[in-house]
Amino acid sequence: MSPGKTILASKIAKKFADEIQAKAALLARRPKLVGILANPDPAAKQYADWTWKTSESLGFDYQLIQVEKEQLEDQIYKCNIDSSINGIMVYFPVYGDGQDRYLQQCVALEKDVEGLNFRYVSNMYHNIRYLDDTHQKKSILPCTPLAIVKILEYLGVYNPLLNYGDRLYGKTITVVNRSEIVGRPLAALLANDGATVYSVDINDIQTYERGHGLKLKKHDVFECDKSLKECALSSDVIITGVPNDSYKFPTEYVKRGAVVINFAFNKNFNDDVKEKASLYVPSIGKVTIAMLLRNLLRLIDNAPK
Amino acid sequence: MSPGKTILASKIAKKFADEIQAKAALLARRPKLVGILANPDPAAKQYADWTWKTSESLGFDYQLIQVEKEQLEDQIYKCNIDSSINGIMVYFPVYGDGQDRYLQQCVALEKDVEGLNFRYVSNMYHNIRYLDDTHQKKSILPCTPLAIVKILEYLGVYNPLLNYGDRLYGKTITVVNRSEIVGRPLAALLANDGATVYSVDINDIQTYERGHGLKLKKHDVFECDKSLKECALSSDVIITGVPNDSYKFPTEYVKRGAVVINFAFNKNFNDDVKEKASLYVPSIGKVTIAMLLRNLLRLIDNAPK
């Protein structure tokens, strides 16, 4: 039997949940998160129910608003100006195309718990960690990539003996997914922290490495001419997010002892991955929800007092 | 023989070209447009060459910058802070996915001749025509939809006897394309001016009509249960933009006397459409380039003096 272990998201989330609950309890008013659901997919409803349950259990108010997709934009703008609401999230996909990206930008910067506003995303890509020059307001990181970073910290992939910002130095990580919501920001975040990242999508493989540009120290991107097999077998960590039931990452591409994380709702690994991986995290949803609430607390910190 | 006519974009563009040239000549310095090409597609290069030729002929400086796609973002940021540059356009698609939409947002608001910044797009959808409360700075409209509006004005579809903002009252228009760059903003613009618009994409048909909401008077959107044939046959205007050589809009769906416009690079109509249409505009590229330069003059007007 392999010495590898499966680590559940609930266990990882617990640590953050305790921190979040303690912080929320110190606030004068219970923070309020609104989830807007304009998507009949039962998976979205289930995710909303989890968010609700977690929010309430940690001392947050949660309100689910269900609307027709044609009313979604108006609903977002209503929530933007409702001062009782601290944070807004929308359960995507709604239209499943460019219109969703437009709608993401409709959420007010000050209430964007998911960190999808262009300002936040652009700061993340440029490794800019504050919204203001005096460093009073922290920028918000997109919550799924942030959850994965926190999971990697928990699993010991980040080395705390190295300086902050260098803690993935020497690590090689393969990320299978290059969506704008998760895969590409994740590759950038990991590269910004010092890793060599192979970013894989259906068309090609790109290498993300931290650049040495001026003050930004943001990542650089190169075309990669290695095969997926070569990239994966040289990787300390493999992270997948392929939204497709029939997709399985080949177990023979996993290096013995690698850390393996799946962030898709679908199961991207066969069970035999446990015989190769040292640590296997089959899903991350609960950590993502914790990060939503953590971002909400940050938004409240950022708000004018 | 049918009494219908084919109207070339060059003829329509001429009127705007004269206006633009006269305005540019009044400026203290020749306005400068930069085009950034990170796309090996010969069609993009050809479009860049047209922009160049038109710009120079109308009294603008044009500079083409060719970069690898990995360097595109850095190049945009360099142009953003170069005070000799008044306007920036990027020849999309580059990645052909969500990353292109991120890159669009990297162009500074003050230099975005294409009108793709979220601020401009959001203003357009909400029928907000200025950037500031004192109405000194006009918002920029996305240039392809704007070109189509100007073409419709030229063709007499807009009725100048009606009040500004109502000049498409009573008109029915079918738009085949619902991209975030052209089809959806175009449907909204036409609905904001009083038309009933059938917005057609591969999945469904939506109806865009001007709403009666509060101060915004923006369009509303409904699912439509009519067939494409019914929608098209009731339409005074049919506008297509299907980027596919094999797609042809069925001529038998065109009402006798309809105005027909194609904005795709591909030919979306068979030649026999001329036997049905009263006015047929087979391509619009030259008007779009004129609108780019018109937007550039507006950006210069908006800039702090």
Side-chain angles (χ1 to χ4, degrees):
Chain A
M1 209 182 111
S2 137
K5 281 193 181 174
T6 299
I7 311 283
L8 297 180
S10 51
K11 188 171 174 186
I12 306 171
K14 181 73 176 68
K15 177 187 155 210
F16 299 106
D18 293 345
E19 284 173 22
I20 290 161
Q21 187 168 24
K23 274 202 183 167
L26 296 176
L27 296 172
R29 202 184 71 179
R30 274 169 81 94
K32 181 171 174 184
L33 174 64
V34 161
I36 311 181
L37 184 63
N39 169 348
D41 179 0
K45 181 66 168 62
Q46 189 186 39
Y47 186 50
D49 288 341
W50 282 346
T51 326
W52 190 341
K53 201 180 130 193
T54 309
S55 300
E56 295 285 344
S57 77
L58 299 182
F60 293 69
D61 285 337
Y62 178 87
Q63 183 188 357
L64 181 67
I65 300 178
Q66 288 187 264
V67 293
E68 294 299 314
K69 65 182 194 294
E70 289 80 8
Q71 303 312 317
L72 175 56
E73 182 176 351
D74 280 347
Q75 186 61 55
I76 293 172
Y77 278 94
K78 269 184 215 157
C79 293
N80 281 347
I81 58 172
D82 179 340
S83 63
S84 76
I85 297 170
N86 302 105
I88 300 168
M89 70 168 298
V90 179
Y91 295 95
F92 289 107
V94 174
Y95 289 93
D97 61 13
Q99 196 166 338
D100 285 1
R101 317 222 52 229
Y102 168 78
L103 288 163
Q104 281 161 12
Q105 303 304 314
C106 292
V107 175
L109 184 76
E110 299 74 21
K111 300 193 178 182
D112 177 18
V113 287
E114 296 187 275
L116 299 176
N117 188 286
F118 175 74
R119 182 91 185 280
Y120 294 136
V121 174
S122 161
N123 280 352
M124 181 208 59
Y125 283 123
H126 294 96
N127 210 3
I128 295 171
R129 305 202 173 194
Y130 293 88
L131 285 175
D132 57 339
D133 291 337
T134 56
H135 292 194
Q136 302 298 305
K137 297 182 176 193
K138 283 192 173 172
S139 199
I140 299 293
L141 290 168
C143 58
T144 305
L146 176 60
I148 295 168
V149 165
K150 292 294 171 183
I151 289 169
L152 291 172
E153 285 179 359
Y154 181 94
L155 300 178
V157 176
Y158 274 76
N159 186 336
L161 296 177
L162 294 173
N163 289 333
Y164 179 72
D166 288 330
R167 291 178 179 169
L168 291 177
Y169 176 74
K171 293 286 194 290
T172 301
I173 303 179
T174 292
V175 178
V176 186
N177 171 303
R178 203 187 295 138
S179 71
E180 282 300 298
I181 305 294
V182 188
R184 194 166 82 91
L186 177 64
L189 278 173
L190 301 177
N192 285 343
D193 282 334
T196 297
V197 182
Y198 297 118
S199 167
V200 180
D201 81 356
I202 203 161
N203 300 310
D204 62 4
I205 300 179
Q206 294 174 354
T207 308
Y208 283 60
E209 282 187 338
R210 192 166 64 196
H212 300 279
L214 305 174
K215 59 185 176 198
L216 292 180
K217 220 178 163 187
K218 67 183 268 281
H219 65 281
D220 285 329
V221 180
F222 313 90
E223 282 297 321
C224 170
D225 55 10
K226 289 189 231 176
S227 69
L228 174 60
K229 186 174 179 178
E230 286 176 280
C231 292
L233 280 172
S234 72
S235 290
D236 307 295
V237 182
I238 294 173
I239 303 170
T240 61
V242 181
N244 187 329
D245 271 330
S246 66
Y247 177 83
K248 300 294 169 194
F249 190 90
T251 300
E252 67 268 27
Y253 290 8
V254 178
K255 182 169 81 168
R256 196 163 153 269
V259 168
V260 171
I261 299 171
N262 169 48
F263 66 81
F265 283 106
N266 317 72
K267 218 166 146 268
N268 284 175
F269 291 94
N270 289 310
D271 279 340
D272 64 359
V273 75
K274 295 177 200 171
E275 291 159 29
K276 295 297 247 344
S278 59
L279 299 169
Y280 169 49
V281 182
S283 74
I284 70 157
K286 290 184 180 174
V287 182
T288 305
I289 293 173
M291 291 305 120
L292 273 177
L293 298 178
R294 192 172 182 270
N295 278 348
L296 180 56
L297 293 174
R298 189 164 276 193
L299 289 173
I300 292 172
D301 271 349
N302 282 351
K305 295 300 173 298
Chain B
M1 208 184 112
S2 137
K5 282 191 179 174
T6 298
I7 311 282
L8 297 181
S10 51
K11 189 169 172 187
I12 306 172
K14 182 73 175 70
K15 178 189 153 210
F16 299 107
D18 293 346
E19 284 173 22
I20 290 162
Q21 188 169 23
K23 274 203 181 166
L26 296 175
L27 295 172
R29 202 184 71 179
R30 273 169 80 94
K32 180 170 174 183
L33 174 64
V34 161
I36 311 180
L37 184 63
N39 170 349
D41 179 1
K45 182 66 168 62
Q46 188 186 40
Y47 186 51
D49 287 342
W50 283 345
T51 326
W52 189 341
K53 201 179 130 193
T54 309
S55 300
E56 295 285 344
S57 76
L58 299 182
F60 293 69
D61 285 338
Y62 179 87
Q63 183 188 357
L64 182 67
I65 300 177
Q66 287 187 264
V67 293
E68 293 300 314
K69 65 183 194 291
E70 290 80 10
Q71 304 311 316
L72 175 56
E73 181 176 352
D74 280 348
Q75 187 59 57
I76 293 171
Y77 278 94
K78 269 184 213 157
C79 292
N80 282 346
I81 57 172
D82 179 341
S83 62
S84 77
I85 296 170
N86 302 105
I88 300 167
M89 70 169 299
V90 179
Y91 296 95
F92 289 105
V94 175
Y95 289 93
D97 61 14
Q99 196 166 340
D100 284 2
R101 317 222 53 229
Y102 168 78
L103 289 162
Q104 280 161 13
Q105 302 304 315
C106 293
V107 175
L109 185 76
E110 299 74 24
K111 300 193 178 183
D112 177 19
V113 287
E114 296 186 276
L116 299 177
N117 188 285
F118 174 74
R119 182 92 185 278
Y120 294 137
V121 174
S122 160
N123 279 352
M124 182 208 58
Y125 282 124
H126 293 97
N127 210 4
I128 295 172
R129 304 201 173 196
Y130 293 89
L131 284 174
D132 57 338
D133 290 336
T134 57
H135 291 194
Q136 302 298 304
K137 298 184 175 191
K138 283 192 173 173
S139 197
I140 299 293
L141 290 169
C143 59
T144 306
L146 176 61
I148 295 168
V149 165
K150 293 294 172 184
I151 290 169
L152 292 172
E153 286 179 359
Y154 182 94
L155 301 177
V157 176
Y158 274 76
N159 186 336
L161 297 177
L162 294 173
N163 289 333
Y164 179 71
D166 289 330
R167 291 178 178 169
L168 291 177
Y169 176 73
K171 294 286 197 288
T172 301
I173 303 178
T174 292
V175 177
V176 187
N177 171 302
R178 202 187 295 139
S179 71
E180 282 300 297
I181 305 295
V182 189
R184 195 167 82 91
L186 177 62
L189 279 173
L190 301 178
N192 285 343
D193 282 333
T196 296
V197 182
Y198 297 118
S199 167
V200 180
D201 80 357
I202 204 162
N203 299 310
D204 63 4
I205 301 180
Q206 294 174 354
T207 308
Y208 283 60
E209 283 187 337
R210 192 166 64 197
H212 300 280
L214 304 174
K215 59 185 179 198
L216 293 179
K217 223 179 161 187
K218 68 183 268 281
H219 66 282
D220 285 328
V221 180
F222 313 90
E223 281 298 319
C224 169
D225 54 10
K226 289 189 234 178
S227 68
L228 175 60
K229 185 174 180 179
E230 285 175 281
C231 292
L233 280 173
S234 72
S235 290
D236 307 296
V237 181
I238 294 173
I239 303 170
T240 61
V242 180
N244 186 330
D245 272 330
S246 66
Y247 177 84
K248 299 293 170 196
F249 190 88
T251 301
E252 66 269 27
Y253 290 6
V254 178
K255 182 169 81 168
R256 197 163 152 266
V259 167
V260 171
I261 300 171
N262 169 46
F263 67 81
F265 283 105
N266 317 72
K267 218 167 147 267
N268 284 175
F269 292 94
N270 289 311
D271 280 340
D272 64 0
V273 75
K274 294 177 200 170
E275 290 159 29
K276 293 295 249 342
S278 58
L279 299 168
Y280 169 50
V281 182
S283 74
I284 70 159
K286 290 186 180 172
V287 182
T288 304
I289 293 173
M291 291 307 119
L292 273 178
L293 299 178
R294 193 172 182 270
N295 278 348
L296 180 56
L297 293 174
R298 189 165 276 191
L299 289 172
I300 292 173
D301 271 348
N302 283 351
K305 296 296 174 302

